[in-house]
Amino acid sequence: MKILLTLVALLLSCPGFCQNKDINIDYMVYTPWCVAASIEDSIKGIDYSMGLGVVAKKIKDRKRSPKRSVSVFLDEQVISLYHNYNGYRLYIINATDKDERFDTDCGVLFAGTKAYIDDKWQSIEEKPLIISCSFTYEILKTGYYWEFHVPKFTGEIPVKIRYKVYAGGTYIYSNEIDAKINRGQLTNKTSDYPEWEKPLEEH
């Protein structure tokens, strides 16, 4: 009994015990989103592990799928990611009656995060969604969806955020949610942040 009480006391004394944290950064980071993404502190910031091979899952109730279209949906329910970080589930859903083709760069979807600040939508991340590792396009079958885990940011500035994914010759935007970011996430790019050409000018 004494040993058990000692272990409990040690655990309770550990900083951050049983407390997840939001991601508080002041710069733009170029790292991939992936299924069950592992998030770790690193010298450059937050590093999301590159888990390849996203498996599409079947929609259980297509009547409840957004607009019976190809859509991007951000679930506001906070989930726990690795290393005690908070995040969200991001879904790409094909609720239409036909398969949808997504152009990729070696299996990576063109995607990113936008924040509404200073009366306009601005990018805070240009992030690849990794589906596979070798194809120039991916097919999301009718009635299926992909699920990704994305970070929950915090900062000094209250904003709306949304996510974008390039599909069918245009960008598809997710629903908007309340969030907080730091000003540096709009402009401060890490040394490895690429200036890769976007497939289409967005609005």
Side-chain angles (χ1 to χ4, degrees), residues 76-114:
E76 291 189 67
Q77 181 177 351
V78 178
I79 61 173
S80 177
L81 304 181
Y82 292 112
H83 302 284
N84 293 331
Y85 283 102
N86 291 322
Y88 302 109
R89 290 184 176 90
L90 181 74
Y91 300 96
I92 301 176
I93 305 166
N94 183 5
T96 68
D97 295 324
K98 63 179 182 179
D99 296 346
E100 180 70 20
R101 171 173 168 151
F102 289 78
D103 293 326
T104 67
D105 182 3
C106 294
V108 176
L109 293 178
F110 298 100
T113 314
K114 310 283 287 186

Side-chain angles (χ1 to χ4, degrees), residues 70-72 92 100 102 163-168 170-174:
V70 177
S71 59
V72 181
I92 301 176
E100 180 70 20
F102 289 78
Y163 293 80
K164 63 173 187 178
V165 177
Y166 186 73
T170 188
Y171 277 104
I172 302 173
Y173 292 89
S174 75

Side-chain angles (χ1 to χ4, degrees), residues 111-163:
T113 314
K114 310 283 287 186
Y116 193 77
I117 183 172
D118 300 332
D119 298 322
K120 61 182 178 180
W121 287 103
Q122 301 186 55
S123 293
I124 61 173
E125 296 178 296
E126 294 292 337
K127 319 256 305 169
L129 297 179
I130 298 178
I131 304 297
S132 63
C133 58
S134 60
F135 301 107
T136 57
Y137 67 90
E138 293 290 336
I139 299 295
L140 182 58
K141 292 183 177 295
T142 172
Y144 281 77
Y145 67 91
W146 288 314
E147 176 185 335
F148 298 87
H149 292 175
V150 298
K152 182 178 185 292
F153 292 112
T154 190
E156 299 179 351
I157 307 171
V159 296
K160 293 282 188 182
I161 63 168
R162 66 183 182 182
Y163 293 80

